[in-house]
Amino acid sequence: MERRTFVRYIGTLGTVALLMPDLLACTESKKKLSTNTLGAPLDRGHLLRGNLDFSAYPLEQFSMRTVIVGGGISGLSSGYHLKKNGSSDFLLLELGEQTGGNSGFGQNKYSKYPLGAHYLSLANPDNRPLIDFLKELKLIEKEANGLQFYNEDFLCHAPDERLLFKGMFHEGLVPEYGISQEAHDEITRFFREMKQLKNAKGPNGSDLFHIPISQSEITPELEALDRITFSEYLARENYRSEELLWFLDYCCRDDFGAGSDQVSAWAGIHYFAGRKATPGNTDPTTVLTWSEGNGYLATKLEEGIRSHIRKNVLVYSVEEQEDQVVIRALDLHAKKRLEISAESCIFSAPSYVAKHTLKSPYWPAFYFEGIKHNPWLIGIVVLDDIPEGNGTPLAWDNVKFGTKGLGYVSDRHQEFGQTRHKHVISVYLALDQADEQTERRRLFQLSEEALCQLVITELVSMHPTIEEHIESISFQRWGHGMVTPYPGALAKYREYCALKTQAKRVHLAHTDYSSYSVFEEGFDLGRLAANELLKHEA
């Protein structure tokens, strides 16, 4: 099968076709590429399934006031806020060799690059803790008249986004050129409606939609939206245009890992109505970004608590008792067991880890069921050149209309030098066409050659001659990507809030429980958990 035929074929069938080995075997790369797979060994997490005798390892026992399980953004934020408020008797245990969770990053000889989350939206004006953190990092340089003035070195440089639509790259990701009047009117109506919802208040005077979600006022109307899909909501509101529906589906896959036909209507609206930034020197929709993506922020959170972090540690049991929490773990490098007696524990590992390890009368095991994470594939590609194409030149985010792929991010976009002998880009593919377990199994069964074809096919659909410029591809496979807010996600969050009020010694802090895997949520959940401990220590 010729590559162009293959591209058209997968564009019709979506990601399920991408993952079928017989289709993948139909294509062969034109030249031998250097490939490798990144990330921690898959079998580390799978040790929790009971195929290892932990008792065979020597035991080290000690006590600690607080243990933080998990070094993603929530765990790092917990440690950061504990230390900031004078509490230093804590230890953070992280399974991997790097903290940050899906804000991790890598580096080659040309550039750093994100392995997941790659930008931070500008802060809502009443998200004071985040604004203070950004001021501490000098990402916000000053505030005046209720406006935040951001460091322009870290605001995404222009052009920030472009869309390949009808054979030409257009600035921005919303299709605007060469569309019908009906489509234009629908797009205008949709964004007008989202602006109204952005300003909507509940009976208590708080925002209905807000980031972080802890500052939202949850009403019966929002709960009703949470019971239907975003696609059902759009159909109910008579949104029909192909251009608008594709864009909204793209947004859901980009932020949630699943399409608009799978995501809760509450979550789909929240994507547009929850952000209310008031910058004084840029557009509110601008983002902060770095070559390493949100790895920059994770590193900054880690810097002040590095001496409190122990990496390469698999936590296999967290048992809440009446007067203590006993944390049992395996230090994978030292090859010894750890048994830590703690006064309290902030559990910041994902829900699929909690259901295997956490034993607490206040967090029943059934609570962790039903929280879903679709798998992702990220390809980090080194090229000697990127064919420009017609229209808007190379942007930070580059997407093609009508496909299931999410395009690619130019990782060196923020560099000030004009001459680049090599380009480094990150290609994002959310695998959401079958159920999550089927997609996850297929993803990890694929060879590096097959993964290579997935990434190349995505790029060739945008740049037909790009393959001859590719020098190497590295792969990051996320079997459990960010949490996906299926219908019922808001109800799950309300259940979390109710259980949290009963919690004694174990406090959960992870974006799985707010159903929105963005930095602001992780930072807020970690802060709230730390504040709970500080309140009891006072």
Side-chain angles (χ1 to χ4, degrees):
M1 186 184 294
E2 292 296 323
R3 180 177 299 282
R4 289 186 182 179
T5 305
F6 181 64
V7 169
R8 288 196 297 271
Y9 189 57
I10 64 167
T12 302
L13 294 185
T15 311
V16 173
L18 285 178
L19 294 176
M20 297 174 103
D22 55 336
L23 284 179
L24 290 165
C26 291
T27 65
E28 292 184 2
S29 181
K30 295 178 181 178
K31 63 179 181 180
K32 183 66 175 176
L33 300 176
S34 171
T35 63
N36 69 298
T37 300
L38 306 169
L42 177 64
D43 56 1
R44 278 193 175 188
H46 289 177
L47 292 173
L48 292 175
R49 295 181 177 178
N51 54 359
L52 180 66
D53 181 10
F54 294 106
S55 64
Y57 293 85
L59 177 64
E60 176 187 352
Q61 295 176 300
F62 57 95
S63 298
M64 184 71 56
R65 170 173 278 181
T66 302
V67 171
I68 302 171
V69 177
I73 296 302
S74 298
L76 291 172
S77 175
S78 292
Y80 166 84
H81 283 98
L82 287 174
K83 190 71 176 282
K84 185 177 181 180
N85 288 280
S87 181
S88 58
D89 189 7
F90 69 89
L91 178 65
L92 188 155
L93 303 177
E94 163 57 34
L95 174 61
E97 296 183 357
Q98 180 188 73
T99 60
N102 61 18
S103 290
F105 70 97
Q107 183 171 4
N108 57 32
K109 61 183 178 181
Y110 307 113
S111 175
K112 294 178 181 177
Y113 48 79
L115 295 175
H118 51 285
Y119 66 90
L120 174 65
S121 297
L122 305 187
N124 283 1
D126 47 1
N127 190 355
R128 195 71 243 169
L130 179 58
I131 288 175
D132 289 343
F133 175 65
L134 297 180
K135 289 176 71 174
E136 180 184 318
L137 300 188
K138 296 182 171 49
L139 297 175
I140 293 178
E141 297 183 317
K142 67 175 182 177
E143 292 185 271
N145 301 318
L147 305 178
Q148 295 75 44
F149 290 79
Y150 286 82
N151 186 330
E152 295 188 1
D153 288 350
F154 303 103
L155 293 171
C156 189
H157 301 165
D160 56 351
E161 297 172 328
R162 65 174 181 169
L163 176 68
L164 181 59
F165 180 59
K166 296 188 175 181
M168 180 172 289
F169 280 105
H170 302 275
E171 191 167 356
L173 297 184
V174 181
E176 293 185 72
Y177 304 98
I179 64 175
S180 68
Q181 186 62 45
E182 291 80 2
H184 178 271
D185 291 345
E186 274 197 19
I187 292 170
T188 302
R189 176 164 67 94
F190 175 81
F191 282 103
R192 183 170 59 241
E193 181 186 357
M194 292 302 106
K195 185 176 181 180
Q196 292 170 349
L197 290 171
K198 183 178 293 192
N199 296 323
K201 305 288 185 181
N204 297 327
S206 299
D207 291 343
L208 292 182
F209 298 94
H210 198 284
I211 294 177
I213 292 170
S214 63
Q215 296 183 29
S216 298
E217 184 171 339
I218 300 173
T219 65
E221 290 77 14
L222 295 191
E223 292 176 318
L225 288 171
D226 185 49
R227 290 192 287 269
I228 63 174
T229 68
F230 194 29
S231 287
E232 289 170 330
Y233 168 82
L234 295 169
R236 189 184 76 185
E237 299 299 313
N238 202 32
Y239 289 110
R240 309 288 181 188
S241 77
E242 176 189 8
E243 293 85 358
L244 175 63
L245 294 181
W246 171 84
F247 170 71
L248 299 179
D249 186 67
Y250 163 82
C251 291
C252 289
R253 287 183 290 108
D254 188 47
D255 250 35
F256 306 130
S260 56
D261 61 340
Q262 301 177 56
V263 165
S264 154
W266 162 77
I269 294 170
H270 190 275
Y271 177 97
F272 295 96
R275 300 196 183 281
K276 314 157 199 288
T278 56
N281 60 334
T282 188
D283 186 274
T285 62
T286 306
V287 300
L288 294 160
T289 189
W290 305 265
S291 291
E292 66 269 44
N294 287 7
Y296 177 91
L297 298 169
T299 300
K300 294 299 183 182
L301 283 172
E302 181 185 314
E303 281 179 357
I305 61 170
R306 198 160 283 154
S307 62
H308 298 266
I309 298 174
R310 195 159 172 173
K311 301 176 184 177
N312 297 292
V313 175
L314 172 73
V315 175
Y316 61 87
S317 174
V318 175
E319 182 182 353
E320 181 172 4
Q321 301 175 358
E322 182 64 31
D323 58 346
Q324 65 177 350
V325 183
V326 179
I327 296 95
R328 298 180 178 89
L330 178 65
D331 187 318
L332 297 168
H333 275 190
K335 292 184 170 47
K336 62 181 177 181
R337 283 183 295 148
L338 308 177
E339 184 172 288
I340 311 168
S341 300
E343 293 180 17
S344 57
C345 173
I346 298 177
F347 198 99
S348 293
S351 57
Y352 52 85
V353 175
K355 71 180 181 181
H356 288 293
T357 59
L358 179 58
K359 302 175 185 65
S360 166
Y362 306 103
W363 296 104
F366 66 80
Y367 168 71
F368 303 106
E369 299 296 334
I371 300 175
K372 298 184 178 181
H373 309 75
N374 282 329
W376 283 70
L377 172 65
I378 300 174
I380 296 88
V381 184
V382 176
L383 311 99
D384 59 32
D385 193 19
I386 301 177
E388 287 291 341
N390 298 321
T392 303
L394 179 66
W396 168 68
D397 195 11
N398 306 266
V399 180
K400 183 182 179 182
F401 175 82
T403 69
K404 285 291 185 181
L406 297 173
Y408 64 90
V409 168
S410 176
D411 298 326
R412 303 188 69 182
H413 186 73
Q414 294 298 100
E415 295 180 12
F416 288 101
Q418 294 299 309
T419 302
R420 292 176 195 150
H421 299 294
K422 304 292 180 185
H423 289 269
V424 181
I425 64 174
S426 293
V427 179
Y428 288 80
L429 293 167
L431 310 181
D432 68 329
Q433 298 306 291
D435 67 90
E436 57 173 334
Q437 291 187 359
T438 299
E439 295 281 33
R440 188 176 300 123
R441 184 166 55 250
R442 287 172 171 170
L443 175 61
F444 284 96
Q445 286 174 348
L446 293 176
S447 65
E448 286 190 356
E449 181 182 1
L451 295 173
C452 188
Q453 291 304 320
L454 291 181
V455 173
I456 290 175
T457 299
E458 173 72 5
L459 291 174
V460 168
S461 72
M462 302 173 71
H463 306 287
T465 63
I466 198 171
E467 188 172 356
E468 62 191 71
H469 298 287
I470 298 175
E471 296 188 354
S472 67
I473 307 179
S474 301
F475 308 103
Q476 172 70 37
R477 291 184 282 197
W478 291 101
H480 301 266
M482 77 273 279
V483 62
T484 300
Y486 287 86
L490 185 59
K492 198 75 174 177
Y493 172 68
R494 297 204 70 179
E495 186 180 358
Y496 164 74
C497 292
L499 291 171
K500 190 169 65 167
T501 63
Q502 307 173 46
K504 301 297 183 186
R505 296 183 178 275
V506 176
H507 303 269
L508 263 61
H510 193 276
T511 54
D512 277 7
Y513 311 118
S514 69
S515 297
Y516 199 4
S517 182
V518 291
F519 181 89
E520 300 97 303
E521 289 295 331
F523 185 82
D524 185 60
L525 289 164
R527 177 186 68 86
L528 292 174
N531 285 350
E532 283 296 314
L533 297 190
L534 292 166
K535 183 171 64 177
H536 291 301
E537 289 178 9

